């Protein structure tokens, strides 16, 4: 059976942007702005204070891992005493390795930080189905994964980009499933934690081409139609019909961008019996016909304009 969490991560298609090993000593204060990329930080030694998107400060200690699916502002300071009043300029020690704070003496902090870009037309909507912050404490396997990520990012071995992408996907899946306290707000994680709603999510992902009716999904979930509709909407954050449409259109856009399949074939795979019906649904959802979307996918600027017309997540 298809796993919706794995499907979502694969559709996000995380790709490394930039990452580095950071060591710190004494007092320091780092402030950065980002364009909504995913940000992650693993503290390997020592501790620090971090504030992301205005939320914090949060104390991170050795063994902690934090993932922000969409980061815009970032502030990082030393812990255990007053931070520097001025913004610190990092000292480059080598490629992918910097020092912050005191430039001499032993480091009292070692952390691995980085960004990755979600390479998907549905980034904004999919990220909205994830928690705004994921904090994992005291699970050493994350340090192991990040050490592998660090080693691979520094190397120039054949297949480097593919390995980095797989490691990032694994890191994202691990972080999303490692803390049962995460699904507190509506989204895909909360839906998967709901025993009955999870059944419907698995069916939608396994067979997106089926013309699922709410009553059918409710029967599979062993619920009444009204109870299923209310529970699905509350846990996932959108009604079942809207989620089915979102998933079909996400698969369609991915196929239009990354495959050479004919539009008629894509229409059939995502649950439409004719290209014309698919064309109407796709145009209404995205703002441009599928053929135009495919052509515009070759141009990031025009693709961005097309996606800006897409229905917003409520």
């Amino acid at each position: 059976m298809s796993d919706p969490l794995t499907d979502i991560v694969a559709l996000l298609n995380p790709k490394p942007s930039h990452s580095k090993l950071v060591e710190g000593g004494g007092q320091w204060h780092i402030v950065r702005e980002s364009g909504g990329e995913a940000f992650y930080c693993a503290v390997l030694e020592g501790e620090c204070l971090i504030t992301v998107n205005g939320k914090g400060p949060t104390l991170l200690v050795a063994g902690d891992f934090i993932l922000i699916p969409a980061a815009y502002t970032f502030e990082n300071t030393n812990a255990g005493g007053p931070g520097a009043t001025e913004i610190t300029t990092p000292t480059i020690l080598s490629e992918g390795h910097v020092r912050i704070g005191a430039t001499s003496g032993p480091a009292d902090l070692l952390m691995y930080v980085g960004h990755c870009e979600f390479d998907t037309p549905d980034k904004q909507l999919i990220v909205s189905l994830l928690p705004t912050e994921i904090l994992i404490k005291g699970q050493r396997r994350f340090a192991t994964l990040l050490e592998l990520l660090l080693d691979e990012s520094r190397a120039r071995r054949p297949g480097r980009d593919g390995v980095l992408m797989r490691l990032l996907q694994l890191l994202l899946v691990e972080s999303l499933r490692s803390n049962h306290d995460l699904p507190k707000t509506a989204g895909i994680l909360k839906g998967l934690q709901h025993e009955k709603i999870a059944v419907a999510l698995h069916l939608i992902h396994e067979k997106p081409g089926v013309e699922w009716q709410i009553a059918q999904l409710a029967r599979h979930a062993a619920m009444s139609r009204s109870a299923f509709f209310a529970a699905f909407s509350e846990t996932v954050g959108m009604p079942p019909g809207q989620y089915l449409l979102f998933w079909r259109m996400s698969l369609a856009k991915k196929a239009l961008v990354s495959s050479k399949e004919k539009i008629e074939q894509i229409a059939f795979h995502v649950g439409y019996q004719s290209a014309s019906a698919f064309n109407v649904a796709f145009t209404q959802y995205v703002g441009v016909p599928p053929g135009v979307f495919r052509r515009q996918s070759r141009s990031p600027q025009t693709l961005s304009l097309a996606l800006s017309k897409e229905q917003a997540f409520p």
Side-chain angles (χ1 to χ4, degrees), residues 180-261:
H180 295 297
D181 293 330
L182 284 176
K184 294 180 180 178
T185 58
I188 188 70
L189 291 182
K190 189 174 183 180
L192 291 173
Q193 290 294 320
H194 191 295
E195 181 181 1
K196 294 184 177 181
I197 299 304
V199 172
L201 285 170
H202 280 283
L203 287 171
I204 289 172
H205 280 251
E206 184 179 14
K207 299 178 180 178
V210 172
E211 190 59 43
W212 293 110
Q213 302 296 320
I214 294 176
Q216 287 178 288
L217 292 171
R219 283 196 299 271
H220 282 288
M223 301 175 71
S224 69
R225 186 185 186 282
S226 58
F228 170 75
F229 183 89
F232 193 105
S233 301
E234 179 184 357
T235 56
V236 179
M238 63 176 75
Q242 187 176 347
Y243 186 85
L244 175 61
L245 178 62
F246 147 71
W247 187 241
R248 285 176 168 177
M249 291 296 123
S250 297
L251 295 176
K253 283 187 281 186
K254 181 179 180 180
L256 287 167
V257 171
S258 61
S259 79
K260 295 182 179 180
E261 279 189 302

Side-chain angles (χ1 to χ4, degrees), residues 119-121 252-260 266 282 286 288-307:
D119 187 16
T120 173
K253 283 187 281 186
K254 181 179 180 180
L256 287 167
V257 171
S258 61
S259 79
K260 295 182 179 180
I266 295 173
F282 189 93
V286 178
V288 295
V292 174
F293 181 88
R294 169 172 270 175
R295 290 192 297 274
Q296 290 178 339
S297 67
R298 276 66 176 179
S299 169
Q301 182 178 6
T302 52
L303 177 57
S304 176
L305 291 173
L307 291 174

